Amino acid sequence: MTASAPSFPHRLRRALTHVVALGYLALCAALLLWAVAVHLFGDAEGSMAGVVPILATAPGSLVVLMLPTSDGIPGIVLTVAFGALLNAAVIGWCARALTRGTA
């Protein structure tokens, strides 16, 4: 009897729970919290703080940014969250592939 390949949700969970992917997600969350804090409590008129988390989560965030629903804080949070999850999955998959077979 042969073992079947892991399902897509299982592979995605394994990629997102790699330590490197979790570190990237933590960094993106910290950048997003900083940008929201600057927008809410700082001088939001001339602040470009929202650009930093979007660039940190590019290219996935740039795709969502083109949607018409990406205005305001909820749109930026959705944009950064999508980009961060997409990039973390790729980072985790690459890290697992590079460390496969090593103890």
Side-chain angles (χ1 to χ4, degrees):
M1 191 156 149
T2 61
S4 63
S7 65
F8 177 73
H10 178 72
R11 287 184 293 179
L12 183 63
R13 182 181 57 84
R14 280 185 29 191
L16 286 175
T17 56
H18 194 276
V19 68
V20 179
L22 290 174
Y24 174 76
L25 286 173
L27 174 69
C28 290
L31 287 173
L32 183 63
L33 288 175
W34 168 74
V36 169
V38 167
H39 180 74
L40 292 177
F41 304 114
D43 181 26
E45 286 294 319
S47 175
M48 295 289 288
V51 174
V52 175
I54 289 175
L55 289 178
T57 57
S61 62
L62 297 178
V63 172
V64 179
L65 192 63
M66 297 301 152
L67 296 175
T69 60
S70 63
D71 283 344
I73 291 179
I76 297 300
V77 170
L78 175 70
T79 301
V80 171
F82 176 78
L85 285 173
L86 181 68
N87 290 345
V90 171
I91 289 169
W93 177 76
C94 289
R96 284 206 182 270
L98 290 173
T99 58
R100 188 176 301 145
T102 60

